Amino acid sequence: MAKVSVIVPVYNVEKYLKQCLDSIVDQTLEDLEIVLVDDGSVDSSGTICDEYAKKDTRIRVIHKENGGLSDARNAGLKYVTSPYVGFIDSDDYIDLDFYCGLLKQMEADNTSIGVAAIAHVYPNGSMRVRKLEKNQRLDRKAAMGELIYSQNISNSVCNKLFEGVEFPKGKLYEDEYVTYILFHRCKAVSVRTDVLYYYRSNPDSITHAKFSDRELDRIYASLEKIEFCKTEYPEYWNSAVCYLVYDCICALEKMESYDKRYDGVIRSNIRKNILIYLKGKNSLKSRIFALLAAISPTMAVTAANIRKEKNKEV
């Protein structure tokens, strides 16, 4: 049995896939089980997966009809045999010490979840890093506090190592539905400050796509998280509410025009919680936009589109 199972959902990423796979097969931790899930790719991604499997016996390739990221991850989970599971998005890549570093930290701290710092890599080559100031062992409550507002520890599963999970099929932003549950189930979390995961901020990815009704999945996930915090972590309830308003803002910023049919989900949640958001640890720019959205979502969307056009000119 391998120490760590790595699941890589693959869909039309021929441009980045080899860099991703090289960073996995060359890990300093060789005791890996690697499951590549080709989710109905129509480019050469599936062929690339098969080529790597021929060269490395640790690799298993699953070819399936397109069902989305959650479905691909769940398909890969059916084949894992290791006690710890990690997910890598196929357009990202990892440091060669990613799994060895996390596993050693978890064993030293006696924890069941490991978290590495993320570097957001932009098309122009610049990077933005999010991390805690030092390596830490956080008990469950402290770890949940860092996660809920998602400042130092993101909701992504990709920069983490943990024990089993299942994702809600067909949801966008599926990590938002499960990561806080994983943290709630653990006794403690190990956090490393060195950058081990490189997230490619790809303008063609789902998270950078134009608004669709599926963007509401993120808001629905936050609503579930708020109810969860109300009973389990009331001290973090305000943070969960702020994150809900932030999700609503993100949805507005992706819109080309506002439709009043979203009033019940977006406008009402912003108005209901605007005072909490204004008092929270949010940037002045974000608070001003939230206040504008509470007054008029239509004006907020217009302002966001003007800002996007100005940024294109720079």
Side-chain angles (χ1 to χ4, degrees):
M1 179 186 295
K3 284 189 176 181
V4 173
S5 295
V6 185
I7 298 175
V8 185
V10 177
Y11 180 69
N12 292 351
V13 285
E14 59 184 7
K15 182 179 179 180
Y16 306 113
L17 184 55
K18 290 184 178 181
Q19 182 182 19
C20 173
L21 298 184
D22 286 341
S23 73
I24 298 171
V25 299
D26 291 338
Q27 286 288 297
T28 53
L29 178 68
E30 297 181 0
D31 197 6
L32 297 176
E33 173 182 61
I34 305 166
V35 182
L36 309 181
V37 184
D38 172 27
D39 192 33
S41 297
V42 294
D43 63 2
S44 65
S45 295
T47 301
I48 294 172
C49 289
D50 290 334
E51 290 173 351
Y52 272 76
K54 290 178 181 178
K55 297 183 292 184
D56 195 322
T57 57
R58 297 174 299 172
I59 297 176
R60 175 197 291 265
V61 181
I62 311 300
H63 296 282
K64 60 181 288 295
E65 292 184 0
N66 181 255
L69 184 58
S70 295
D71 191 52
R73 285 174 171 174
N74 287 334
L77 283 168
K78 296 177 182 178
Y79 295 92
V80 303
T81 61
S82 306
Y84 292 107
V85 179
F87 293 91
I88 305 295
D89 284 349
S90 52
D91 54 351
D92 298 337
Y93 58 98
I94 55 178
D95 184 272
L96 297 185
D97 197 41
F98 180 78
Y99 288 115
C100 186
L102 277 186
L103 200 57
K104 283 182 178 179
Q105 191 76 43
M106 292 164 65
E107 291 173 347
D109 292 340
N110 188 26
T111 61
S112 57
I113 296 179
V115 180
I118 297 178
H120 292 251
V121 183
Y122 296 96
N124 63 4
S126 64
M127 293 187 184
R128 176 175 63 87
V129 179
R130 61 191 307 177
K131 62 180 182 179
L132 294 174
E133 293 182 358
K134 60 181 180 179
N135 290 355
Q136 296 184 45
R137 181 189 190 274
L138 301 177
D139 63 30
R140 180 175 60 191
K141 182 171 288 188
M144 188 66 75
E146 292 289 347
L147 178 74
I148 290 298
Y149 202 55
S150 191
Q151 283 190 317
N152 298 313
I153 298 180
S154 76
N155 281 274
S156 171
V157 299
C158 290
N159 67 321
K160 299 172 178 66
L161 189 60
F162 47 80
E163 296 169 334
V165 63
E166 185 173 350
F167 297 90
K169 185 176 180 180
K171 295 289 187 180
L172 200 61
Y173 302 104
E174 64 284 343
D175 295 5
E176 303 279 352
Y177 288 86
V178 302
T179 310
Y180 72 97
I181 299 297
L182 290 171
F183 274 45
H184 177 63
R185 291 174 181 170
C186 78
K187 61 181 179 181
V189 174
S190 293
V191 180
R192 291 188 58 137
T193 61
D194 39 347
V195 175
L196 300 177
Y197 192 94
Y198 294 86
Y199 169 81
R200 196 184 304 277
S201 186
N202 181 3
D204 297 323
S205 68
I206 292 175
T207 53
H208 290 84
K210 291 181 180 180
F211 178 85
S212 72
D213 284 355
R214 295 187 66 199
E215 289 289 330
L216 301 181
D217 286 348
R218 183 174 179 176
I219 297 173
Y220 295 141
S222 276
L223 289 169
E224 289 185 12
K225 200 178 301 181
I226 286 172
E227 290 303 308
F228 176 80
C229 286
K230 185 183 295 184
T231 56
E232 300 291 344
Y233 300 91
E235 63 268 46
Y236 300 138
W237 185 82
N238 276 13
S239 292
V241 168
C242 284
Y243 199 73
L244 166 66
V245 175
Y246 172 74
D247 287 340
C248 292
I249 289 173
C250 289
L252 291 175
E253 288 179 328
K254 286 192 172 187
M255 292 182 179
E256 293 183 350
S257 62
Y258 184 73
D259 191 322
K260 287 188 176 182
R261 65 191 176 98
Y262 299 120
D263 279 355
V265 179
I266 297 178
R267 186 180 189 183
S268 64
N269 278 313
I270 294 177
R271 285 191 167 186
K272 179 181 177 181
N273 300 299
I274 186 62
L275 292 181
I276 295 175
Y277 192 79
L278 294 177
K279 293 178 182 179
K281 298 177 181 179
N282 308 292
S283 68
L284 178 60
K285 179 180 177 181
S286 180
R287 281 180 284 166
I288 291 173
F289 187 85
L291 186 59
L292 178 60
I295 297 170
S296 171
T298 299
M299 291 173 60
V301 170
T302 300
N305 286 328
I306 291 173
R307 184 174 69 245
K308 283 184 282 189
E309 289 300 319
K310 287 185 177 179
N311 289 339
K312 288 180 182 179
E313 296 173 0
V314 176

